[in-house]
């Protein structure tokens, strides 16, 4: 996905498409971080309840 942003911005000079791809990449990254944070919090609570 990063390569797509680079290719669209600097090789094709399509800055609108590159910005859109970068925005989607940002949203996907934030979603993954959020899911990992929730899972980590859940596992921490679960581990604390069993000890």
């Amino acid at each position: 996905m990063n390569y797509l942003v680079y290719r669209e911005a600097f090789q094709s000079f399509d800055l609108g498409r590159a910005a859109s791809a970068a925005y989607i990449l940002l949203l996907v990254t934030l979603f993954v971080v959020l899911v990992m944070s929730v899972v980590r919090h859940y596992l921490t609570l679960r581990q604390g309840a069993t000890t």
Side-chain angles (χ1 to χ4, degrees), residues 16-36:
R17 187 172 171 137
S20 297
Y23 185 70
I24 291 171
L25 179 61
L26 172 68
L27 292 178
V28 168
T29 303
L30 288 176
F31 177 74
V32 169
V33 168
L34 177 68
V35 168
M36 291 178 67

Side-chain angles (χ1 to χ4, degrees), residues 7-23:
R7 192 177 64 213
E8 291 298 322
F10 298 112
Q11 291 179 352
S12 300
F13 298 109
D14 189 358
L15 298 180
R17 187 172 171 137
S20 297
Y23 185 70

Side-chain angles (χ1 to χ4, degrees), residues 28-50:
V28 168
T29 303
L30 288 176
F31 177 74
V32 169
V33 168
L34 177 68
V35 168
M36 291 178 67
S37 177
V38 168
V39 167
R40 182 176 177 189
H41 181 71
Y42 172 75
L43 291 175
T44 302
L45 289 176
R46 187 171 175 206
Q47 184 181 20
T50 58

